[in-house]
Amino acid sequence: MSDIQSAGSTDHIFPSKRVTLGTLTPDQVLQQLTQLLGAANIQADPTKNEYYRMGWRSGGGSALAVLFPQTLLQIWQSLEVCVAGDCIIIMQAAKTGLTEGSAPNGEGYDRPVIVINTLALNQLYLVNNNQQVISLPGATLHQLQKQLKAVNRAPHSVIGSSTLGATIVGGVSNNSGGALVKRGPAYTELALFAQINEQGELILVNHLNIDLGASPEQILTNLQTGNFDKTKLSDNGKMASDKEYVARVKDVDADTPSRFNADKRRLYEASGCAGKLAVFAVRLDTYPIAAQEKTFYIGSNSIGELAQLRRQILSGFTNIPEVGEYMHRDIFDVSTKYGKDTFLSIKHLGTDTLPRLFSIKGAIDAKLNKWSWMPKHFTDKVMQFIANIFPNYLPKRMTQYRNKYEHHLILKMSDAGIIEAQVFLEKFFADSTTGDYFECSDEESESAFLHRFAAAGAALRYEVIHQEEVGDILALDIAIPRNELAWFEALPEEINQHLEKKLYYGHFFCYVFHQDYILKKGSDAQQVKHLMLELLNTRGAKYPAEHNVGHLYEAEPDLQNFYQRLDPTNSFNPGIGKMSKTKRNCSCCL
């Protein structure tokens, strides 16, 4: 067995008894996969599987086939065929990643590529009196949020990509963060996954700490059918969430970021694996829902004022915020115009419809992209045209704050923290000439968070609509040291000269920022990115903070070592982190 961190007893390791490495040709691989899954659940025609071979924003490549297994056992059996054919395996779910990490990437692969899409496997099991959940690989955050709401519990993340269909396992695999200040990165030490070890053997590892059987067939079938005790499950001392994060984010004097993808503290088996394992299930904590919540809308023209507000709240409050979302005035404006259709769709149609709408849009785009005479990004242009018909939709006080203040902070407190915030904010802004706040009504609170949610898609929409006048979009997500006071970046002229727009938003109390730069026409995106990353290095920043390296960033040494331990033959998702795409053949490479 390879060096799986804290792998425990070999009683949890189940090798495949059917695989002989490299004995199948590509044609035989396709034949056996078709027999296993049925013709309806395998797509080898590149004109029909293009959507699944492309990244969400960018990237893509070729594949021998895309698979759509309907059971966990079919995933395992597909993996056996792939290993027998010495294939590269790319595990894929909702494909919402922004750094090209869930699809093939260009050329340079030395083996046939198989994409395994897991969205059909979307069961969720609430266990331990709803205090934990076991998620299969296709279950989404939005689905979990709905299921938990019925039992007065909440998931790890309740804002952001959850309404776009992002999966729970995808979030864990990428150490994704979120808007909730108390939760930290998606993390668990309890998972069920398949791995290819140094000898090229496929093994199933059951670290869910649940007795599911004595063979891969028993384990996977019992898990999918829910045939196991769902009460009083032991965790064997392993964490199902980042229980240490609150103390970490409250340490405002630390000279390191609170969370980022390559943090070796939170690289553990499935957590942070980035597709280097085939993850069948994860076990995660759930959270009680607050009895009462109140949103405060804060505006300021001073970065120092907001830095002090953050420090005093995190270090001095008994009850830290639920959410603290930042928006700069420029992204406020872009989101107002180019995120309008997203805002109105959620407000009037609800979050249940959004994943389906995005799926339909993706299918239409894939179809239209095949017709050379069609304008690029046709659906985006149609949606933007329709959105422009609608009048201004933001509450009056938010618009007034936009005109008055450059920096905007949406602060949500719960229960006893509400009074704590009311007393603090009144005193903090009593003599301020640079900032102010107001308590939101329910409608204002909903609008503020929807406006913030729409920001990420709005930046991309802006670039699409103005593609004839502007250059590429450069999207960075960064984490800065917790003790930083000058949190808002100042760019040198050698970078500024290339930028049409600078769009800043993010998770303020965690000091994790999304920074989208619209480049001027003709500017070299790679050159600008190089200059940006050099500047971030001087600030002690870490990147990416929550979207993971994918194929766009070079993995740090700790992350590279972690990937190599999990996947010693480089068979799963090779090339991520700008690492090699070719096969590693022996344990001496480690």
Side-chain angles (χ1 to χ4, degrees), residues 125-130 225-233:
Y125 299 108
L126 298 181
V127 298
N128 287 350
N129 194 29
N130 305 322
T225 57
N227 184 27
F228 58 92
D229 184 10
K230 300 177 184 61
T231 61
K232 299 180 181 178
L233 294 179

Side-chain angles (χ1 to χ4, degrees), residues 33-47:
L33 289 173
T34 302
Q35 291 174 348
L36 170 65
L37 301 174
N41 295 317
I42 177 172
Q43 185 51 261
D45 184 344
T47 65

Side-chain angles (χ1 to χ4, degrees), residues 158 194 267 271 344 352 376 394 442 447 529:
V158 295
L267 298 176
S271 296
L344 294 175
D352 288 352
K376 289 185 177 181
L394 291 177
D442 290 344
S447 294
K529 182 178 180 180

Side-chain angles (χ1 to χ4, degrees), residues 133-144:
V133 63
I134 295 171
S135 169
L136 270 55
T140 67
L141 283 164
H142 178 62
Q143 178 186 344
L144 176 59

Side-chain angles (χ1 to χ4, degrees), residues 461-529:
R461 174 69 63 78
Y462 177 94
E463 187 264 341
V464 165
I465 298 300
H466 296 277
Q467 60 185 330
E468 298 301 324
E469 305 103 63
V470 303
D472 295 335
I473 183 171
L474 174 59
L476 303 178
D477 59 295
I478 69 163
I480 63 174
R482 286 165 279 172
N483 64 352
E484 180 65 76
L485 296 179
W487 54 271
F488 192 76
E489 72 176 7
L491 295 176
E493 181 56 28
E494 66 173 336
I495 294 178
N496 257 328
Q497 64 180 331
H498 296 289
L499 305 182
E500 185 74 26
K501 277 192 177 296
K502 297 174 288 187
L503 305 173
Y504 301 101
Y505 51 104
H507 316 304
F508 189 67
F509 289 93
C510 300
Y511 260 2
V512 170
F513 295 96
H514 301 284
Q515 303 184 170
D516 293 345
Y517 305 95
I518 310 296
L519 303 187
K520 291 181 178 179
K521 201 74 172 175
S523 290
D524 185 333
Q526 289 305 313
Q527 178 193 3
V528 176
K529 182 178 180 180

Side-chain angles (χ1 to χ4, degrees), residues 189 193 271 328 348 407 433 483 569:
E189 296 168 358
F193 55 89
S271 296
H328 184 265
H348 297 294
H407 306 285
T433 59
N483 64 352
T569 64

Side-chain angles (χ1 to χ4, degrees), residues 425-472:
L425 291 173
E426 183 176 1
K427 182 178 180 180
F428 186 85
F429 286 108
D431 300 316
S432 175
T433 59
T434 55
D436 204 351
Y437 77 101
F438 64 84
E439 294 188 22
C440 294
S441 66
D442 290 344
E443 181 181 356
E444 287 171 329
S445 177
E446 179 189 31
S447 294
F449 283 109
L450 284 180
H451 189 55
R452 162 62 185 91
F453 168 74
L460 184 60
R461 174 69 63 78
Y462 177 94
E463 187 264 341
V464 165
I465 298 300
H466 296 277
Q467 60 185 330
E468 298 301 324
E469 305 103 63
V470 303
D472 295 335

